Amino acid sequence: MSSIPDFNEAFKAVFGHAASHRVIAPGRINLIGEHIDYCGGQVMPMAIDQNTSALFRGNGGSTIRVYSDRYNELVTLVPHDVLTKKQDHWSDYAQGLLRESAHRSINKGFDLLVRSTLDSGGLSSSSSFLALLALANHFALTGESVSASDKGLRLQLALNCQRTENHFVGIPSGIMDPASILLGGLIQLDCNTLKYSHLNPLPDEYCIIILDTSTPRSLASSGYAERVEQVRAIEKILGHDRPKNGLANLDPNQLSTAQGKLPGTTLKRRLQHLVSEQQRVLEAAKCLADANITSLGLLMNESHESLKSSYDVSSPELDVITTISRQHAATLGSRMTGAGFGGCAISLCHRDLADEHNQFVAEAYFQSTGLQAGLYITDTALPASIQPI
Ligand code: GLA
């Protein structure tokens, strides 16, 4: 299906009628604030111009038909089916989202043809797909397209996406990814209160470059779940001594006392990361407000080091590619982004040196690893949307 250039023609070929709406959901990177969204931390994700897009039309029936361009496969889902368990198939996301959104109406079915430019691991293709489904489903049920200014509804849809992953797909992810995708731009999000603000974009002379290590994130789901369990274990041990608004909010002055209550070294190191990463996000917000981009870059380097040495979620290739990137004059800071265990890093670079940087990194990374890195400048994107064609 990818070879069919005209998306509209492809929709007609699959479903036998023309699409009425187009749905777009960006991917995301996270500038800083990693692995703290599931313990009340503040995060700084940015919606990016790589995205998942779809064509949509209500089908007058009660089934939902989703054609995935990536898997070249059509699935037909019955929203009233509350018995089907997850199948370890891409359509779990759609089945789970319908379940979480309590889609029970008759004759509110729809057809979707989905394609994605989110080919690199770690840019949240799954939340992008979920957010797209959430907007399509909301439109099918209510006839409302969810304006960009309807923040409350957008956060509710983001929570539905998170619950789908947590309860149906079985990944204990935080709220960061769907919130970023449904709110768009660069935000600072408090994952405890869900209060957020849109931040000024980087000054024009700087840019974010995505560095795809071209390595799979094979340990991502098991390693991620293990980190979340460790955080819950720390919460249990600290009991009433832990901050009510989440471990990331522990006062840094109380860190060593809290660490003293934890057995072994692993949990101590985990807590070290959570508390220090939260402080780095707060400092990063100040840097952005003051346009102090040099200091922002240094905070990104420190974040990577903490994720590598205290949280153990980096990978040899992520370490190699960020180290190489930092060796180039273009780079102010470089770090892994997302869950880690492979996938992508990001670098904060001088825009006028970006092409030179990418050539340098591609060559040096290939020499070190034998792998071809994917390197591309990314820009902030608008929030996920559904619009008439
Ligand atoms: C994944 C999860 C997010 C977040 C990041 C790490 O992307 O889906 O909720 O925990 O990892 O910051």
Side-chain angles (χ1 to χ4, degrees):
M1 199 54 65
S2 320
S3 55
I4 296 181
D6 189 323
F7 208 15
N8 290 298
E9 289 306 315
F11 188 92
K12 272 193 219 154
V14 174
F15 297 114
H17 54 184
S20 63
H21 288 74
R22 188 177 179 81
V23 202
I24 296 189
R28 68 97 193 87
I29 52 113
N30 186 18
L31 201 51
I32 195 158
E34 216 67 86
H35 278 275
I36 55 172
D37 65 337
Y38 48 82
C39 55
Q42 304 223 9
V43 295
M44 216 180 263
M46 175 178 128
I48 57 171
D49 46 11
Q50 286 89 342
N51 60 36
T52 312
S53 59
L55 291 179
F56 165 99
R57 185 181 193 103
N59 61 26
S62 298
T63 58
I64 280 98
R65 300 188 291 178
V66 186
Y67 188 95
S68 163
D69 210 31
R70 172 174 290 181
Y71 298 102
N72 209 3
E73 192 181 5
L74 176 69
V75 293
T76 300
L77 303 163
V78 180
H80 304 92
D81 165 13
V82 290
L83 295 176
T84 301
K85 298 242 174 349
K86 77 165 179 156
Q87 317 275 312
D88 293 323
H89 187 264
W90 63 267
S91 60
D92 288 344
Y93 286 90
Q95 184 75 52
L97 196 274
L98 295 172
R99 184 88 45 95
E100 276 308 321
S101 322
H103 182 130
R104 303 274 181 276
S105 308
I106 304 291
N107 295 342
K108 299 284 186 187
F110 57 90
D111 296 335
L112 267 186
L113 173 65
V114 184
R115 57 174 52 160
S116 172
T117 56
L118 286 163
D119 296 324
S120 304
L123 303 180
S124 207
S125 55
S126 54
S127 284
S128 174
F129 181 42
L130 276 171
L132 181 147
L133 288 163
L135 285 177
N137 185 55
H138 185 81
F139 182 79
L141 289 175
T142 64
E144 285 172 22
S145 51
V146 189
S147 75
S149 60
D150 196 341
K151 312 294 185 196
L153 180 52
R154 284 178 172 267
L155 280 173
Q156 269 180 40
L157 295 179
L159 286 164
N160 281 351
C161 295
Q162 184 194 12
R163 278 195 290 267
T164 302
E165 281 215 308
N166 292 176
H167 302 155
F168 195 83
V169 182
I171 301 170
S173 47
I175 188 67
M176 174 172 80
D177 300 351
S180 165
I181 290 162
L182 280 152
L183 297 171
L186 172 64
I187 58 170
Q188 183 178 352
L189 170 71
D190 180 324
C191 299
N192 179 51
T193 60
L194 297 190
K195 287 196 175 137
Y196 69 91
S197 51
H198 275 99
L199 302 173
N200 290 336
L202 290 168
D204 278 351
E205 60 266 40
Y206 302 98
C207 65
I208 299 289
I209 299 180
I210 294 178
L211 319 170
D212 181 355
T213 60
S214 303
T215 52
R217 295 161 61 245
S218 41
L219 276 177
S221 55
S222 58
Y224 186 86
E226 188 188 52
R227 296 305 176 281
V228 176
E229 268 171 35
Q230 289 169 337
V231 167
R232 302 294 168 245
I234 298 173
E235 288 169 350
K236 209 166 162 196
I237 296 168
L238 296 184
H240 293 304
D241 295 340
R242 71 176 203 264
K244 303 239 171 330
N245 51 353
L247 271 186
N249 294 296
L250 187 78
D251 181 340
N253 294 320
Q254 307 198 338
L255 176 61
S256 60
T257 312
Q259 283 175 315
K261 296 179 183 157
L262 303 175
T265 58
T266 303
L267 296 186
K268 290 185 175 65
R269 288 190 296 116
R270 300 295 185 254
L271 187 58
Q272 171 79 41
H273 169 71
L274 302 179
V275 174
S276 62
E277 186 73 353
Q278 167 84 336
Q279 296 308 310
R280 282 187 284 275
V281 176
L282 301 178
E283 282 179 46
K286 281 190 212 134
C287 291
L288 270 172
D290 301 344
N292 183 353
I293 308 303
T294 307
S295 300
L296 176 62
L298 296 175
L299 290 165
M300 290 171 68
N301 292 342
E302 285 171 26
S303 169
H304 184 84
E305 183 53 36
S306 177
L307 289 155
K308 174 187 166 195
S309 306
S310 299
Y311 221 61
D312 301 319
V313 290
S314 188
S315 71
E317 293 82 7
L318 283 166
D319 295 340
V320 168
I321 209 161
T322 49
T323 304
I324 292 171
S325 173
R326 284 183 212 119
Q327 284 161 2
H328 195 273
T331 305
L332 295 106
S334 188
R335 59 181 293 276
M336 53 156 276
T337 195
F341 304 100
C344 290
I346 50 167
S347 290
L348 172 59
C349 291
H350 290 281
R351 196 180 283 275
D352 57 349
L353 295 175
D355 290 342
E356 211 182 89
H357 164 273
N358 289 356
Q359 208 175 337
F360 171 78
V361 174
E363 281 169 20
Y365 184 69
F366 183 73
Q367 271 171 21
S368 277
T369 63
L371 294 164
Q372 302 277 1
L375 296 150
Y376 32 98
I377 299 175
T378 194
D379 277 317
T380 44
L382 293 170
S385 65
I386 176 164
Q387 276 157 7
I389 291 175

PDB file of all heavy atoms in Angstrom, residues 356-384:
ATOM      1  N   GLU A 356      27.077  19.804   8.658  1.00  0.00           N
ATOM      2  CA  GLU A 356      28.464  19.368   8.909  1.00  0.00           C
ATOM      3  C   GLU A 356      28.496  18.351  10.069  1.00  0.00           C
ATOM      4  O   GLU A 356      29.180  17.329  10.008  1.00  0.00           O
ATOM      5  CB  GLU A 356      29.246  20.608   9.325  1.00  0.00           C
ATOM      6  CG  GLU A 356      30.684  20.638   8.949  1.00  0.00           C
ATOM      7  CD  GLU A 356      31.288  21.926   9.508  1.00  0.00           C
ATOM      8  OE1 GLU A 356      31.758  21.883  10.661  1.00  0.00           O
ATOM      9  OE2 GLU A 356      31.263  22.942   8.798  1.00  0.00           O
ATOM     10  N   HIS A 357      27.727  18.656  11.104  1.00  0.00           N
ATOM     11  CA  HIS A 357      27.618  17.763  12.268  1.00  0.00           C
ATOM     12  C   HIS A 357      27.096  16.390  11.837  1.00  0.00           C
ATOM     13  O   HIS A 357      27.651  15.347  12.199  1.00  0.00           O
ATOM     14  CB  HIS A 357      26.676  18.401  13.304  1.00  0.00           C
ATOM     15  CG  HIS A 357      26.167  17.464  14.361  1.00  0.00           C
ATOM     16  ND1 HIS A 357      25.031  16.687  14.191  1.00  0.00           N
ATOM     17  CD2 HIS A 357      26.629  17.175  15.610  1.00  0.00           C
ATOM     18  CE1 HIS A 357      24.820  15.967  15.283  1.00  0.00           C
ATOM     19  NE2 HIS A 357      25.777  16.242  16.158  1.00  0.00           N
ATOM     20  N   ASN A 358      26.041  16.403  11.022  1.00  0.00           N
ATOM     21  CA  ASN A 358      25.421  15.123  10.647  1.00  0.00           C
ATOM     22  C   ASN A 358      26.383  14.254   9.843  1.00  0.00           C
ATOM     23  O   ASN A 358      26.443  13.035  10.029  1.00  0.00           O
ATOM     24  CB  ASN A 358      24.133  15.379   9.861  1.00  0.00           C
ATOM     25  CG  ASN A 358      23.040  15.927  10.762  1.00  0.00           C
ATOM     26  OD1 ASN A 358      23.234  16.038  11.975  1.00  0.00           O
ATOM     27  ND2 ASN A 358      21.905  16.273  10.196  1.00  0.00           N
ATOM     28  N   GLN A 359      27.151  14.896   8.980  1.00  0.00           N
ATOM     29  CA  GLN A 359      28.126  14.127   8.184  1.00  0.00           C
ATOM     30  C   GLN A 359      29.201  13.535   9.104  1.00  0.00           C
ATOM     31  O   GLN A 359      29.554  12.360   8.992  1.00  0.00           O
ATOM     32  CB  GLN A 359      28.771  15.077   7.182  1.00  0.00           C
ATOM     33  CG  GLN A 359      29.216  14.372   5.943  1.00  0.00           C
ATOM     34  CD  GLN A 359      29.745  15.386   4.939  1.00  0.00           C
ATOM     35  OE1 GLN A 359      29.402  16.573   4.989  1.00  0.00           O
ATOM     36  NE2 GLN A 359      30.584  14.913   4.037  1.00  0.00           N
ATOM     37  N   PHE A 360      29.674  14.355  10.019  1.00  0.00           N
ATOM     38  CA  PHE A 360      30.712  13.921  10.963  1.00  0.00           C
ATOM     39  C   PHE A 360      30.204  12.741  11.805  1.00  0.00           C
ATOM     40  O   PHE A 360      30.873  11.711  11.954  1.00  0.00           O
ATOM     41  CB  PHE A 360      31.086  15.101  11.869  1.00  0.00           C
ATOM     42  CG  PHE A 360      31.982  14.761  13.023  1.00  0.00           C
ATOM     43  CD1 PHE A 360      33.351  14.567  12.842  1.00  0.00           C
ATOM     44  CD2 PHE A 360      31.458  14.611  14.307  1.00  0.00           C
ATOM     45  CE1 PHE A 360      34.166  14.239  13.922  1.00  0.00           C
ATOM     46  CE2 PHE A 360      32.270  14.283  15.385  1.00  0.00           C
ATOM     47  CZ  PHE A 360      33.632  14.108  15.194  1.00  0.00           C
ATOM     48  N   VAL A 361      28.985  12.877  12.347  1.00  0.00           N
ATOM     49  CA  VAL A 361      28.450  11.828  13.225  1.00  0.00           C
ATOM     50  C   VAL A 361      28.221  10.541  12.427  1.00  0.00           C
ATOM     51  O   VAL A 361      28.568   9.445  12.885  1.00  0.00           O
ATOM     52  CB  VAL A 361      27.140  12.282  13.916  1.00  0.00           C
ATOM     53  CG1 VAL A 361      26.509  11.143  14.711  1.00  0.00           C
ATOM     54  CG2 VAL A 361      27.406  13.465  14.838  1.00  0.00           C
ATOM     55  N   ALA A 362      27.646  10.676  11.219  1.00  0.00           N
ATOM     56  CA  ALA A 362      27.359   9.483  10.415  1.00  0.00           C
ATOM     57  C   ALA A 362      28.644   8.692  10.171  1.00  0.00           C
ATOM     58  O   ALA A 362      28.675   7.464  10.345  1.00  0.00           O
ATOM     59  CB  ALA A 362      26.716   9.885   9.090  1.00  0.00           C
ATOM     60  N   GLU A 363      29.727   9.394   9.799  1.00  0.00           N
ATOM     61  CA  GLU A 363      30.986   8.701   9.481  1.00  0.00           C
ATOM     62  C   GLU A 363      31.605   8.073  10.729  1.00  0.00           C
ATOM     63  O   GLU A 363      31.987   6.903  10.740  1.00  0.00           O
ATOM     64  CB  GLU A 363      31.976   9.680   8.850  1.00  0.00           C
ATOM     65  CG  GLU A 363      31.662   9.907   7.378  1.00  0.00           C
ATOM     66  CD  GLU A 363      32.455  11.074   6.766  1.00  0.00           C
ATOM     67  OE1 GLU A 363      33.508  11.463   7.336  1.00  0.00           O
ATOM     68  OE2 GLU A 363      31.988  11.580   5.744  1.00  0.00           O
ATOM     69  N   ALA A 364      31.688   8.853  11.795  1.00  0.00           N
ATOM     70  CA  ALA A 364      32.349   8.348  13.009  1.00  0.00           C
ATOM     71  C   ALA A 364      31.531   7.221  13.651  1.00  0.00           C
ATOM     72  O   ALA A 364      32.087   6.244  14.170  1.00  0.00           O
ATOM     73  CB  ALA A 364      32.549   9.497  13.999  1.00  0.00           C
ATOM     74  N   TYR A 365      30.215   7.330  13.590  1.00  0.00           N
ATOM     75  CA  TYR A 365      29.357   6.288  14.188  1.00  0.00           C
ATOM     76  C   TYR A 365      29.496   4.993  13.392  1.00  0.00           C
ATOM     77  O   TYR A 365      29.582   3.907  13.964  1.00  0.00           O
ATOM     78  CB  TYR A 365      27.902   6.769  14.199  1.00  0.00           C
ATOM     79  CG  TYR A 365      26.943   5.806  14.873  1.00  0.00           C
ATOM     80  CD1 TYR A 365      26.981   5.584  16.247  1.00  0.00           C
ATOM     81  CD2 TYR A 365      25.966   5.133  14.131  1.00  0.00           C
ATOM     82  CE1 TYR A 365      26.087   4.699  16.868  1.00  0.00           C
ATOM     83  CE2 TYR A 365      25.073   4.263  14.735  1.00  0.00           C
ATOM     84  CZ  TYR A 365      25.143   4.047  16.106  1.00  0.00           C
ATOM     85  OH  TYR A 365      24.254   3.171  16.711  1.00  0.00           O
ATOM     86  N   PHE A 366      29.562   5.125  12.070  1.00  0.00           N
ATOM     87  CA  PHE A 366      29.727   3.929  11.238  1.00  0.00           C
ATOM     88  C   PHE A 366      31.080   3.266  11.536  1.00  0.00           C
ATOM     89  O   PHE A 366      31.170   2.043  11.658  1.00  0.00           O
ATOM     90  CB  PHE A 366      29.597   4.277   9.751  1.00  0.00           C
ATOM     91  CG  PHE A 366      29.691   3.069   8.868  1.00  0.00           C
ATOM     92  CD1 PHE A 366      28.649   2.158   8.794  1.00  0.00           C
ATOM     93  CD2 PHE A 366      30.847   2.816   8.129  1.00  0.00           C
ATOM     94  CE1 PHE A 366      28.736   1.014   8.008  1.00  0.00           C
ATOM     95  CE2 PHE A 366      30.945   1.677   7.332  1.00  0.00           C
ATOM     96  CZ  PHE A 366      29.893   0.772   7.274  1.00  0.00           C
ATOM     97  N   GLN A 367      32.102   4.103  11.677  1.00  0.00           N
ATOM     98  CA  GLN A 367      33.434   3.533  11.978  1.00  0.00           C
ATOM     99  C   GLN A 367      33.435   2.808  13.321  1.00  0.00           C
ATOM    100  O   GLN A 367      34.053   1.770  13.476  1.00  0.00           O
ATOM    101  CB  GLN A 367      34.482   4.638  12.022  1.00  0.00           C
ATOM    102  CG  GLN A 367      35.088   4.871  10.644  1.00  0.00           C
ATOM    103  CD  GLN A 367      35.964   6.118  10.619  1.00  0.00           C
ATOM    104  OE1 GLN A 367      36.425   6.569  11.667  1.00  0.00           O
ATOM    105  NE2 GLN A 367      36.164   6.663   9.444  1.00  0.00           N
ATOM    106  N   SER A 368      32.733   3.338  14.297  1.00  0.00           N
ATOM    107  CA  SER A 368      32.724   2.733  15.635  1.00  0.00           C
ATOM    108  C   SER A 368      31.857   1.501  15.722  1.00  0.00           C
ATOM    109  O   SER A 368      32.168   0.568  16.455  1.00  0.00           O
ATOM    110  CB  SER A 368      32.114   3.704  16.649  1.00  0.00           C
ATOM    111  OG  SER A 368      33.006   4.582  17.074  1.00  0.00           O
ATOM    112  N   THR A 369      30.714   1.515  15.008  1.00  0.00           N
ATOM    113  CA  THR A 369      29.716   0.459  15.254  1.00  0.00           C
ATOM    114  C   THR A 369      29.376  -0.370  14.028  1.00  0.00           C
ATOM    115  O   THR A 369      28.731  -1.408  14.158  1.00  0.00           O
ATOM    116  CB  THR A 369      28.389   1.095  15.740  1.00  0.00           C
ATOM    117  OG1 THR A 369      27.899   1.938  14.682  1.00  0.00           O
ATOM    118  CG2 THR A 369      28.564   1.904  17.009  1.00  0.00           C
ATOM    119  N   GLY A 370      29.748   0.117  12.839  1.00  0.00           N
ATOM    120  CA  GLY A 370      29.343  -0.573  11.605  1.00  0.00           C
ATOM    121  C   GLY A 370      27.872  -0.311  11.274  1.00  0.00           C
ATOM    122  O   GLY A 370      27.313  -0.946  10.377  1.00  0.00           O
ATOM    123  N   LEU A 371      27.227   0.622  11.993  1.00  0.00           N
ATOM    124  CA  LEU A 371      25.803   0.899  11.769  1.00  0.00           C
ATOM    125  C   LEU A 371      25.615   2.254  11.083  1.00  0.00           C
ATOM    126  O   LEU A 371      26.393   3.181  11.296  1.00  0.00           O
ATOM    127  CB  LEU A 371      25.054   0.935  13.117  1.00  0.00           C
ATOM    128  CG  LEU A 371      24.978  -0.374  13.898  1.00  0.00           C
ATOM    129  CD1 LEU A 371      24.576  -0.116  15.345  1.00  0.00           C
ATOM    130  CD2 LEU A 371      23.986  -1.324  13.227  1.00  0.00           C
ATOM    131  N   GLN A 372      24.561   2.335  10.279  1.00  0.00           N
ATOM    132  CA  GLN A 372      24.208   3.605   9.620  1.00  0.00           C
ATOM    133  C   GLN A 372      23.250   4.360  10.527  1.00  0.00           C
ATOM    134  O   GLN A 372      22.125   3.893  10.738  1.00  0.00           O
ATOM    135  CB  GLN A 372      23.462   3.335   8.303  1.00  0.00           C
ATOM    136  CG  GLN A 372      24.203   2.491   7.301  1.00  0.00           C
ATOM    137  CD  GLN A 372      25.182   3.324   6.478  1.00  0.00           C
ATOM    138  OE1 GLN A 372      25.305   4.534   6.680  1.00  0.00           O
ATOM    139  NE2 GLN A 372      25.884   2.662   5.570  1.00  0.00           N
ATOM    140  N   ALA A 373      23.681   5.501  11.026  1.00  0.00           N
ATOM    141  CA  ALA A 373      22.779   6.293  11.873  1.00  0.00           C
ATOM    142  C   ALA A 373      21.780   7.055  10.999  1.00  0.00           C
ATOM    143  O   ALA A 373      22.104   7.399   9.869  1.00  0.00           O
ATOM    144  CB  ALA A 373      23.594   7.297  12.686  1.00  0.00           C
ATOM    145  N   GLY A 374      20.590   7.280  11.530  1.00  0.00           N
ATOM    146  CA  GLY A 374      19.637   8.193  10.870  1.00  0.00           C
ATOM    147  C   GLY A 374      19.777   9.543  11.556  1.00  0.00           C
ATOM    148  O   GLY A 374      19.721   9.613  12.779  1.00  0.00           O
ATOM    149  N   LEU A 375      19.988  10.618  10.795  1.00  0.00           N
ATOM    150  CA  LEU A 375      20.224  11.936  11.418  1.00  0.00           C
ATOM    151  C   LEU A 375      19.329  12.963  10.755  1.00  0.00           C
ATOM    152  O   LEU A 375      19.409  13.158   9.539  1.00  0.00           O
ATOM    153  CB  LEU A 375      21.688  12.345  11.211  1.00  0.00           C
ATOM    154  CG  LEU A 375      22.674  11.414  11.917  1.00  0.00           C
ATOM    155  CD1 LEU A 375      23.985  11.350  11.190  1.00  0.00           C
ATOM    156  CD2 LEU A 375      22.882  11.881  13.346  1.00  0.00           C
ATOM    157  N   TYR A 376      18.457  13.573  11.523  1.00  0.00           N
ATOM    158  CA  TYR A 376      17.615  14.576  10.902  1.00  0.00           C
ATOM    159  C   TYR A 376      17.229  15.686  11.875  1.00  0.00           C
ATOM    160  O   TYR A 376      16.976  15.452  13.049  1.00  0.00           O
ATOM    161  CB  TYR A 376      16.376  13.970  10.235  1.00  0.00           C
ATOM    162  CG  TYR A 376      15.821  12.741  10.882  1.00  0.00           C
ATOM    163  CD1 TYR A 376      14.751  12.818  11.740  1.00  0.00           C
ATOM    164  CD2 TYR A 376      16.388  11.466  10.638  1.00  0.00           C
ATOM    165  CE1 TYR A 376      14.238  11.692  12.347  1.00  0.00           C
ATOM    166  CE2 TYR A 376      15.886  10.331  11.248  1.00  0.00           C
ATOM    167  CZ  TYR A 376      14.809  10.454  12.102  1.00  0.00           C
ATOM    168  OH  TYR A 376      14.313   9.331  12.706  1.00  0.00           O
ATOM    169  N   ILE A 377      17.193  16.883  11.313  1.00  0.00           N
ATOM    170  CA  ILE A 377      16.762  18.050  12.099  1.00  0.00           C
ATOM    171  C   ILE A 377      15.258  17.950  12.272  1.00  0.00           C
ATOM    172  O   ILE A 377      14.547  17.607  11.331  1.00  0.00           O
ATOM    173  CB  ILE A 377      17.088  19.350  11.338  1.00  0.00           C
ATOM    174  CG1 ILE A 377      18.590  19.462  11.111  1.00  0.00           C
ATOM    175  CG2 ILE A 377      16.568  20.568  12.095  1.00  0.00           C
ATOM    176  CD1 ILE A 377      19.007  20.648  10.259  1.00  0.00           C
ATOM    177  N   THR A 378      14.787  18.230  13.477  1.00  0.00           N
ATOM    178  CA  THR A 378      13.337  18.186  13.669  1.00  0.00           C
ATOM    179  C   THR A 378      12.818  19.528  14.167  1.00  0.00           C
ATOM    180  O   THR A 378      13.567  20.300  14.777  1.00  0.00           O
ATOM    181  CB  THR A 378      12.952  17.040  14.628  1.00  0.00           C
ATOM    182  OG1 THR A 378      11.548  16.827  14.540  1.00  0.00           O
ATOM    183  CG2 THR A 378      13.331  17.327  16.073  1.00  0.00           C
ATOM    184  N   ASP A 379      11.562  19.793  13.879  1.00  0.00           N
ATOM    185  CA  ASP A 379      10.943  21.049  14.336  1.00  0.00           C
ATOM    186  C   ASP A 379       9.727  20.739  15.190  1.00  0.00           C
ATOM    187  O   ASP A 379       9.181  19.641  15.116  1.00  0.00           O
ATOM    188  CB  ASP A 379      10.493  21.873  13.121  1.00  0.00           C
ATOM    189  CG  ASP A 379      11.658  22.655  12.563  1.00  0.00           C
ATOM    190  OD1 ASP A 379      12.416  23.233  13.350  1.00  0.00           O
ATOM    191  OD2 ASP A 379      11.810  22.661  11.322  1.00  0.00           O
ATOM    192  N   THR A 380       9.273  21.743  15.942  1.00  0.00           N
ATOM    193  CA  THR A 380       8.069  21.523  16.755  1.00  0.00           C
ATOM    194  C   THR A 380       6.853  21.408  15.855  1.00  0.00           C
ATOM    195  O   THR A 380       6.782  22.055  14.813  1.00  0.00           O
ATOM    196  CB  THR A 380       7.800  22.685  17.735  1.00  0.00           C
ATOM    197  OG1 THR A 380       7.995  23.896  17.047  1.00  0.00           O
ATOM    198  CG2 THR A 380       8.648  22.631  18.956  1.00  0.00           C
ATOM    199  N   ALA A 381       5.900  20.598  16.311  1.00  0.00           N
ATOM    200  CA  ALA A 381       4.684  20.389  15.520  1.00  0.00           C
ATOM    201  C   ALA A 381       3.458  20.840  16.291  1.00  0.00           C
ATOM    202  O   ALA A 381       3.479  20.952  17.521  1.00  0.00           O
ATOM    203  CB  ALA A 381       4.569  18.906  15.171  1.00  0.00           C
ATOM    204  N   LEU A 382       2.378  21.054  15.540  1.00  0.00           N
ATOM    205  CA  LEU A 382       1.088  21.396  16.134  1.00  0.00           C
ATOM    206  C   LEU A 382       0.523  20.164  16.841  1.00  0.00           C
ATOM    207  O   LEU A 382       0.939  19.035  16.562  1.00  0.00           O
ATOM    208  CB  LEU A 382       0.123  21.821  15.019  1.00  0.00           C
ATOM    209  CG  LEU A 382       0.484  23.124  14.309  1.00  0.00           C
ATOM    210  CD1 LEU A 382      -0.398  23.315  13.078  1.00  0.00           C
ATOM    211  CD2 LEU A 382       0.352  24.294  15.283  1.00  0.00           C
ATOM    212  N   PRO A 383      -0.449  20.362  17.733  1.00  0.00           N
ATOM    213  CA  PRO A 383      -1.057  19.207  18.388  1.00  0.00           C
ATOM    214  C   PRO A 383      -1.808  18.317  17.400  1.00  0.00           C
ATOM    215  O   PRO A 383      -2.179  18.769  16.310  1.00  0.00           O
ATOM    216  CB  PRO A 383      -2.048  19.846  19.375  1.00  0.00           C
ATOM    217  CG  PRO A 383      -2.198  21.263  18.987  1.00  0.00           C
ATOM    218  CD  PRO A 383      -0.975  21.642  18.228  1.00  0.00           C
ATOM    219  N   ALA A 384      -2.046  17.076  17.804  1.00  0.00           N
ATOM    220  CA  ALA A 384      -2.811  16.144  16.983  1.00  0.00           C
ATOM    221  C   ALA A 384      -4.163  16.771  16.640  1.00  0.00           C
ATOM    222  O   ALA A 384      -4.746  17.486  17.455  1.00  0.00           O
ATOM    223  CB  ALA A 384      -3.013  14.844  17.743  1.00  0.00           C
TER     224      ALA A 384
END
